[in-house]
Structure formats: C-alpha cells, structure tokens
Amino acid sequence: MVGNKNRLYIALYPSGVVGNEERKYHWGFLIGPKDESYPPVAGTRYHVKHHPLGGWIYEEADLRNVQATNNLLARIVIAKIADEDRLINILRRNPVVNGDPEWRCRSWVAQALATIAEDGRSVGTAQLDWGKIERVARKYVRSKTESGRYAVIGDPKQPKPTYDMLEGKEAIS
C-alpha cells in the first residue's frame, strides 16, 4: 500500500542468553499504524528465529496488539513507511543464513536495514543506521530495566515502552 500512515519499529525481546551482552536481546521488526489511540492496535511482526532442528527461519505474524506482544521489552520507532508492500517484499527477500555460528536475528535486522536504505523508496523519514539504532535501543531498555519497569509483571495488554528515534523522545513509558 503506497502512502499509508504506518510506522516501522525495531522490537526487542529477551533472548534467553545470559552473560553475553551482545546476544542479550532478540531483534525484529514491527509494522503498526501511526495512530495508536484506539487499542488494541493491530500490526505485524517480521523476524527470524532459530529452531534447534531446523536452523534459522523467517517468520511474519499478524498481531492483535502491536503495542504489547508476548515478551516484548520495547519498541523503537525508526521510520515512516512510504510503500508498505515494497517494504514487506524487502523483508521477505532478506537472506536467512544457516551454517554460520555468528549469524543471528541481529545480523538479519542489520542487513534488512541496509537494504531498506539502499532501496530508498519503501520508507520516508527514517533512521536506518544500525549502529545508532542498536546503541539507542540497548540504552533505552537498560534505562527501563534500571528504573524497575520490568521488575514486576504488569498487565500484558498494556503498551510496552516505546522510543521514537524520529522525534528523539519517548512516546510510551
């Protein structure tokens, strides 16, 4: 769909890896509407996940509420979508690598961002620099952790913390 009002987010989930800061999070993309004033807010998750028997696989899943998916730690707004169909095709065609022990979801996200940037037509206003996104996302989740945001399991339907890199401010605490 060309000319929609959707946003592209980076999503951070706990990876289950302990003692390795680089592998602490599972990374993916979320697409959801700009106007989130009428929850639940439907959206879609795009990511790769590792199955012990099958290796890395691409997955996209429709979400009833893109603000509060299972285990979601935080969302980072990184782009206004200009052509959603084009963007989704980029994500679907982004290579999934098996057989390389250093390749993981983080690698897939970084490559997708580079391809989106090279494409130049799927998103409008955007922050697509993986290094910058990763630094901001890690710092944001660390600050939420230190403030106790994840210490108590609250209502899973409540929106998770969201930082807007386009505006340089927190959108949902």
Side-chain angles (χ1 to χ4, degrees):
M1 174 186 313
V2 177
N4 62 28
K5 302 276 188 203
N6 285 347
R7 299 292 178 261
L8 179 64
Y9 301 84
I10 291 289
L12 284 86
Y13 300 87
S15 70
V17 174
V18 179
N20 184 329
E21 190 64 31
E22 186 174 294
R23 295 185 180 205
K24 187 175 188 172
Y25 303 113
H26 175 74
W27 302 83
F29 292 102
L30 298 173
I31 291 179
K34 175 183 180 182
D35 183 3
E36 295 186 333
S37 56
Y38 304 102
V41 180
T44 309
R45 176 179 48 228
Y46 303 84
H47 69 135
V48 294
K49 62 184 187 177
H50 190 263
H51 286 282
L53 300 176
W56 289 100
I57 61 166
Y58 169 78
E59 179 182 80
E60 56 186 73
D62 290 333
L63 304 171
R64 182 169 158 24
N65 189 356
V66 74
Q67 292 178 315
T69 67
N70 288 340
N71 298 324
L72 179 65
L73 294 172
R75 301 180 304 160
I76 310 296
V77 178
I78 61 165
K80 296 177 182 179
I81 299 173
D83 185 335
E84 187 167 327
D85 291 338
R86 188 176 187 87
L87 175 62
I88 291 168
N89 282 330
I90 289 170
L91 297 176
R92 287 176 176 161
R93 289 190 325 262
N94 197 37
V96 176
V97 176
N98 281 293
D100 178 350
E102 295 304 312
W103 194 92
R104 55 197 181 280
C105 58
R106 182 179 173 273
S107 310
W108 183 82
V109 166
Q111 178 57 51
L113 288 167
T115 304
I116 293 165
E118 288 170 17
D119 169 69
R121 295 188 294 175
S122 59
V123 298
T125 304
Q127 172 51 257
L128 300 174
D129 179 321
W130 169 243
K132 188 176 220 179
I133 292 168
E134 184 179 29
R135 281 190 304 277
V136 167
R138 287 181 185 275
K139 182 179 178 183
Y140 184 64
V141 171
R142 184 172 37 256
S143 73
K144 291 299 175 186
T145 301
E146 290 169 355
S147 73
R149 176 67 163 83
Y150 309 118
V152 177
I153 297 174
D155 182 352
K157 296 177 187 165
Q158 289 300 311
K160 301 302 188 261
T162 303
Y163 186 82
D164 189 327
M165 286 189 73
L166 306 180
E167 296 189 15
K169 66 180 185 178
E170 188 170 58
I172 299 173
S173 61

